[in-house]
Amino acid sequence: MKNELSLSQLRGQFIASSVLLESLLQALPAETLRALYERHAANSQETTDALRQANCPEEELDAYNSFALNNQVVIGRSWRKTT
């Protein structure tokens, strides 16, 4: 039961961080958002590669990838709204 509660809390924090990120991105110009989108993709791949090399457990790697993908989607959505 403790793991389920922790997972539920984590999901709530995940959603809250997405909302906060999207609200912060609204103030940025399109060119900045484009650059951020591109750099985030590169950083995420570098981090994933480093986690794999460090033999990070698959569960942690999956969690990081979900977080990174969600942020990439939020950044991309904000960028598209400005164009």
Side-chain angles (χ1 to χ4, degrees):
M1 189 63 143
K2 184 177 181 182
N3 286 341
E4 291 177 29
L5 181 59
S6 296
L7 184 56
S8 175
Q9 289 173 336
L10 184 59
R11 284 186 183 130
Q13 291 175 352
F14 189 68
I15 291 167
S17 70
S18 295
V19 170
L20 177 61
L21 177 60
E22 194 158 12
S23 68
L24 292 171
L25 293 173
Q26 289 177 3
L28 298 176
E31 186 59 29
T32 302
L33 290 168
R34 182 196 61 77
L36 181 60
Y37 182 85
E38 292 172 358
R39 191 64 209 144
H40 184 275
N43 286 345
S44 295
Q45 186 59 51
E46 291 170 12
T47 302
T48 297
D49 293 345
L51 290 172
R52 281 196 179 108
Q53 288 178 348
N55 295 320
C56 184
E58 281 298 313
E59 184 178 86
E60 291 179 25
L61 186 58
D62 289 346
Y64 172 75
N65 285 332
S66 293
F67 177 74
L69 179 60
N70 182 71
N71 286 346
Q72 190 73 11
V73 167
V74 170
I75 296 165
R77 185 172 45 233
S78 295
W79 175 29
R80 283 189 302 279
K81 286 179 182 178
T82 64
T83 57

